[in-house]
Amino acid sequence: MAAVNSSKHSRSKSQLNAISKWNIMQYKLYLICTFLLLFVSLCFSDDDHEMEEFLKREFSLSKPYQGVGSLGSSHWELMGDAMVTTDQVRLTPDMQSRQGAVWSRIPCHLKDWEMQVHFKVHGQGKKNLNGDGLAIWYTKERMQKGPVFGNMDNFTGLGVFVDTYPNEEKHIERIFPFVIAMVGNGTISYDHERDGRPTELGGCNAMVRNQKHDTFLFIRYIRRRLTVMIDIDGQHEWRDCLDIPGVRLPLGYYFGASAITGDLSDNHDIISLKLYQLTVLRSKKEEKEEEQDIITIPSIIQYSLSLSLCNEEGMSGLAIFFTVLFSMLGCIFLIVIGMVVYSHWNESRRKRFY
């Protein structure tokens, strides 16, 4: 009888030890998973989770285009050869030597914003026998005709250009149409002969012409960072085009869209312009710094070439560090999982013998 009781006692003790070990392993697994989730969220989080967006109708343009016209009560005004149809605002028809634009009458005083442009470029001309392109503007000046995609040269503000014709002879490495961005301070001229390369912030090729599906352009300005993306493949997915920090744009400028044709031509249509106000959480320190640093002239914080190269090398090292770190954490995670599974299997096996 004593032997039986001793056997029961040892068995219950071993079961308690197994349960205790199992609980400890579960707790360790929970801690590791929590650490991994926290670490990943800190590494890859951006401003999106702290941001909300609101459509600003007074700065937006969409069907049936009731806010477009010459009346003082309208929010948008046409210029040049631009005209409104039931389906789009046509900036230029597929005819030579035309230019047109549509401009907002209301200055924008939003710190952070996002513009989504639904547009269409199409015509009868064959590849590289069409032109010249269209532009989306956020500038101090408005309703000024000129050679830069239908707007004035030496503009003050931001221009995002969808350039459909290569003027520079040596453009082997660049496929057109091509999207670029430029910031002007009123004294910088756009170089047509070199397709704006000397003053561009960055860009990407965008095969937007004569597409059967919708084509979109995305421009975001948040915390003095300019991001441009495109959706031109009919997949409803944004593709990165450029992302530039340190872009300083004043408040109170005007949004607009313009286009121009020369010896070659295309239809340049705006289906919609939708502006969203972005509400971003800022710390008191950030708010104070922005209040003290009032921007009056558009500019870009420039870095020296050597500093840029050092930053690139630093990022490469950082990428290697995170790769090794995640590999080690992954190995630890797998080991813990293996130990838990083995412990559970071993306990089940022992129970079967009892």
Side-chain angles (χ1 to χ4, degrees), residues 9 22 40 46 48 116 137 152 159 178 181 190 197 222 230 246 280 292 300 329 341:
H9 178 71
W22 170 250
V40 170
D46 52 22
D48 290 345
Q116 295 183 17
W137 303 96
M152 62 178 288
F178 203 85
Y190 176 81
R197 291 198 190 199
I222 180 171
I230 56 176
V280 183
Q292 294 175 347
I300 307 163
L329 290 174
V341 171

Side-chain angles (χ1 to χ4, degrees), residues 225 244-247 300-309 311:
R225 189 182 195 98
I244 308 295
V247 178
I300 307 163
I301 299 175
Q302 298 285 353
Y303 296 92
S304 66
L305 180 60
S306 59
L307 182 59
S308 298
L309 289 174
N311 286 340

Side-chain angles (χ1 to χ4, degrees), residues 206-249:
M207 308 307 292
V208 299
R209 188 172 179 270
N210 285 342
Q211 296 288 358
K212 294 182 180 180
H213 49 261
D214 294 332
T215 50
F216 298 89
L217 183 67
F218 171 102
I219 306 168
R220 173 182 284 177
Y221 182 68
I222 180 171
R223 282 178 169 167
R224 299 178 181 176
R225 189 182 195 98
L226 177 67
T227 303
V228 176
M229 294 188 286
I230 56 176
D231 176 8
I232 61 172
D233 300 318
Q235 303 297 321
H236 302 289
E237 293 181 357
W238 294 113
R239 175 162 64 88
D240 293 338
C241 185
L242 61 93
D243 185 26
I244 308 295
V247 178
R248 297 162 54 85
L249 299 176

Side-chain angles (χ1 to χ4, degrees), residues 108 177 293 298 351:
C108 180
D293 184 19
K351 286 181 179 179

Side-chain angles (χ1 to χ4, degrees), residues 109-208:
H109 291 274
L110 302 177
K111 284 184 179 181
D112 306 293
W113 49 265
E114 176 182 296
M115 174 71 81
Q116 295 183 17
V117 184
H118 184 188
F119 69 100
K120 189 175 182 65
V121 179
H122 57 108
Q124 299 297 320
K126 297 180 180 180
K127 184 178 180 181
N128 291 339
L129 293 176
N130 58 280
D132 284 324
L134 61 84
I136 306 299
W137 303 96
Y138 174 72
T139 56
K140 180 180 180 180
E141 308 85 8
R142 62 181 295 273
M143 300 292 289
Q144 300 289 329
K145 288 186 177 180
V148 186
F149 299 95
N151 190 28
M152 62 178 288
D153 199 2
N154 299 310
F155 60 87
T156 309
L158 170 68
V160 178
F161 311 139
V162 182
D163 192 352
T164 59
Y165 181 76
N167 292 294
E168 189 174 10
E169 293 183 2
K170 297 179 181 179
H171 59 272
I172 300 175
E173 72 282 4
R174 179 164 292 188
I175 302 174
F176 281 75
F178 203 85
V179 177
I180 68 169
M182 172 182 170
V183 170
N185 60 9
T187 63
I188 303 174
S189 180
Y190 176 81
D191 190 342
H192 281 276
E193 298 301 320
R194 299 181 62 188
D195 298 314
R197 291 198 190 199
T199 54
E200 71 177 32
L201 302 181
C204 62
N205 69 294
M207 308 307 292
V208 299

